[in-house]
Amino acid sequence: MNKTKKLVASISTLLTRRTSHPSSTLRCNPLATFRIKPQTHLNPVKPLALLRFSGRAFCSGSCDKISSSTCWNCGFSSDKSAFLFCDSCRSIQPVDDSVDYFQIFGLEKKYELDAGSVEGKYKDWQKKLHPDLVHNKSQKERDYAAEQSAKVTEACRTLTKRLSRAMYIMKVNGKNINEEETVTDPTLLMEMMELREAIAEADDSKELNKIQSQVQEKLKQWSDSFAKAFESQRFDEAVKCIRRMTFYEKACEEIVKKL
Amino acid sequence: MMIRQAAKKALGLTSRQSTPFSVGIFRSYHENVIDHYDNPRNVGSFDKNDPTVGTGLVGAPACGDVMKLQIKVDEKTGQIVDARFKTFGCGSAIASSSVATEWVKGKAMEEVLTIKNTEIAKHLSLPPVKLHCSMLAEDAIKAAVKDYKEKRVKTNGA
């Protein structure tokens, strides 16, 4: 229920928001350009529509197998890995916890990612799932919309930022990062201490911007290191990279607060 | 003090008239925490090359905060005569390290090693989400003592 309480921006805000990717700038009212997608599926609506199935995946094996999900409303069976919305009857499906963020955006479980493509797909999803579009539907479906929309928003946020994506991809691969253990590496901490001191002592925005670009440079460097370490399954190394990135991100936050 | 200003801004405590007590449904900081902002004690540094100084430098992996706690030890008695801290982090982290510097003064090194994060957290009424800040302070004390002892071994061995 916590997820439904998250405030999701209204659909018009979401779709008119400018993205960093230059090719996707939607300016029109989404509701006016809403068009019905043509039926491309060969499967007809099954007579099982009378039986209300939940949208749960029926596979008993690992999540790598393509599972078959069934629409709770019309019984349409989909083999999509992320069955959030039934194109057949246009109903929103309940959240399936086994669907991970990469599956929602149709991406491979890799660290390297094109943020622009995620933003585009995010908007496409919100055009179907957003709670503002389901006022005429049942309470049950409105609840599904709130949960699915929140999950998709969270997925977008997690995947578009390097640090959160790194942590998520580790988690999805079963590698939990211990966040309890205090960091004692003197070289790392000395560097961070000096960085934070520099930020605190910086007087003008020119100086802060200079520090910020240095930190961004470091973040890119460690992000690349993480990618290499992760690909080669050197998970301890990967965790070290994440640690560094956490500290640099915190420094960035401080700079932004000051600017 | 830049840290204080940043801390105050982060907390939204810009007016001097901040409510000291938890009022009804509002989640505000305990008066002890606010006290450590308005009247910071022991902020600063010692020369880390000074043989009577032990420096503890620790970091929180979850939030990226850094804490430095230094102790000045009387070589003859082994008692901690002074302490300083410098912390970059949230209000609770700053208050925890401030409390730590107060509590270690005038105590023997073995005694300060028994200071527990739960005691610091209780003194500041830290919410569960901020307990790691008090843990960081406990670790900083231990790191400072360890550093001092290692320095002594080096100077005695040389």
Side-chain angles (χ1 to χ4, degrees):
Chain A
M1 267 326 274
N2 293 345
K3 279 187 187 162
T4 55
K5 288 200 173 142
K6 233 191 233 186
L7 289 173
V8 182
S10 80
I11 186 102
S12 50
T13 323
L14 280 176
L15 297 179
T16 55
R17 200 181 281 164
R18 281 207 63 201
T19 60
S20 51
H21 194 73
S23 65
S24 49
T25 44
L26 296 170
R27 294 257 171 247
C28 47
N29 180 347
L31 295 174
T33 56
F34 216 13
R35 61 179 177 82
I36 310 290
K37 268 207 176 134
Q39 274 282 28
T40 50
H41 302 287
L42 297 171
N43 304 339
V45 173
K46 291 192 178 160
L48 289 166
L50 293 170
L51 291 169
R52 303 264 179 218
F53 288 110
S54 76
R56 296 240 153 253
F58 288 128
C59 76
S60 53
S62 70
C63 292
D64 288 348
K65 255 176 40 200
I66 294 174
S67 56
S68 169
S69 313
T70 313
C71 174
W72 60 272
N73 189 37
C74 67
F76 174 75
S77 177
S78 162
D79 59 2
K80 278 195 266 191
S81 57
F83 185 54
L84 313 184
F85 181 83
C86 177
D87 286 314
S88 178
C89 64
R90 310 203 66 74
S91 325
I92 298 174
Q93 303 301 308
V95 164
D96 178 356
D97 290 324
S98 67
V99 173
D100 65 51
Y101 297 164
F102 291 99
Q103 287 171 316
I104 290 175
F105 293 104
L107 298 164
E108 278 178 60
K109 283 198 214 356
K110 279 190 324 163
Y111 177 64
E112 285 93 350
L113 166 51
D114 170 26
S117 69
V118 170
E119 291 265 2
K121 286 192 192 119
Y122 168 71
K123 290 184 179 180
D124 288 342
W125 271 127
Q126 293 294 12
K127 279 190 213 169
K128 294 177 178 168
L129 302 172
H130 202 279
D132 283 354
L133 302 167
V134 293
H135 294 302
N136 301 329
K137 302 229 176 166
S138 61
Q139 182 61 47
K140 177 160 88 164
E141 197 167 348
R142 277 184 276 155
D143 289 344
Y144 290 162
E147 286 175 358
Q148 283 288 20
S149 190
K151 182 170 176 175
V152 170
T153 302
E154 185 60 32
C156 183
R157 269 190 214 144
T158 306
L159 294 183
T160 46
K161 290 191 290 211
R162 280 179 294 219
L163 178 57
S164 50
R165 190 188 336 141
M167 291 173 75
Y168 184 73
I169 203 171
M170 291 284 278
K171 182 175 143 193
V172 153
N173 281 277
K175 306 269 169 254
N176 282 312
I177 305 163
N178 179 7
E179 296 220 304
E180 297 289 318
E181 214 183 310
T182 303
V183 175
T184 47
D185 176 359
T187 339
L188 163 62
L189 291 170
M190 209 93 77
E191 186 197 329
M192 295 310 162
M193 202 78 201
E194 281 165 17
L195 173 59
R196 299 290 289 271
E197 273 166 6
I199 295 168
E201 283 161 19
D203 291 321
D204 52 39
S205 58
K206 192 166 140 209
E207 229 178 301
L208 284 169
N209 282 318
K210 185 167 151 224
I211 301 174
Q212 189 177 42
S213 49
Q214 285 169 347
V215 176
Q216 293 286 8
E217 190 55 51
K218 288 274 182 177
L219 272 169
K220 171 122 197 0
Q221 202 184 309
W222 285 98
S223 168
D224 292 339
S225 298
F226 172 81
K228 287 197 191 84
F230 184 75
E231 290 301 310
S232 347
Q233 311 220 335
R234 284 176 284 133
F235 296 121
D236 285 340
E237 176 88 24
V239 170
K240 283 205 175 84
C241 297
I242 287 180
R243 287 249 184 284
R244 285 233 164 211
M245 283 168 76
T246 309
F247 283 100
Y248 285 123
E249 281 289 357
K250 190 60 196 271
C252 267
E253 275 172 39
E254 289 297 306
I255 296 173
V256 169
K257 269 193 217 160
K258 260 196 115 173
L259 276 172
Chain B
M1 212 8 94
M2 280 296 188
I3 304 164
R4 245 181 79 207
Q5 281 172 9
K8 276 197 169 183
K9 251 197 211 159
L11 285 177
L13 289 175
T14 43
S15 78
R16 299 238 104 208
Q17 303 296 320
S18 27
T19 331
F21 301 104
S22 294
V23 181
I25 51 164
F26 295 109
R27 250 263 190 111
S28 68
Y29 289 82
H30 190 266
E31 59 173 347
N32 285 348
V33 177
I34 294 175
D35 183 31
H36 282 274
Y37 293 115
D38 288 348
N39 312 300
R41 298 107 154 127
N42 313 317
V43 177
S45 297
F46 293 134
D47 174 13
K48 68 173 193 277
N49 296 317
D50 184 332
T52 63
V53 168
T55 305
L57 192 52
V58 291
C63 52
D65 290 338
V66 260
M67 191 185 279
K68 180 174 78 169
L69 193 146
Q70 289 177 302
I71 51 172
K72 196 169 247 204
V73 184
D74 181 330
E75 288 168 309
K76 290 197 213 82
T77 62
Q79 283 224 326
I80 296 171
V81 294
D82 204 1
R84 291 279 183 275
F85 82 95
K86 221 176 189 190
T87 297
F88 290 100
C90 64
S92 304
I94 295 171
S96 297
S97 39
S98 182
V99 164
T101 54
E102 288 221 291
W103 287 3
V104 301
K105 281 198 208 174
K107 293 204 174 83
M109 278 192 292
E110 298 316 311
E111 202 189 331
V112 306
L113 290 176
T114 64
I115 293 176
K116 288 247 127 276
N117 70 307
T118 44
E119 294 162 354
I120 300 175
K122 189 167 172 212
H123 179 74
L124 296 170
S125 295
L126 295 181
V129 58
K130 291 293 181 183
L131 284 178
H132 69 279
C133 298
S134 60
M135 194 64 231
L136 203 60
E138 183 192 313
D139 288 340
I141 296 172
K142 292 190 160 73
V145 170
K146 182 168 170 225
D147 180 62
Y148 176 78
K149 286 183 173 167
E150 279 171 2
K151 275 162 90 172
R152 291 277 296 193
V153 165
K154 271 198 200 135
T155 44
N156 289 344

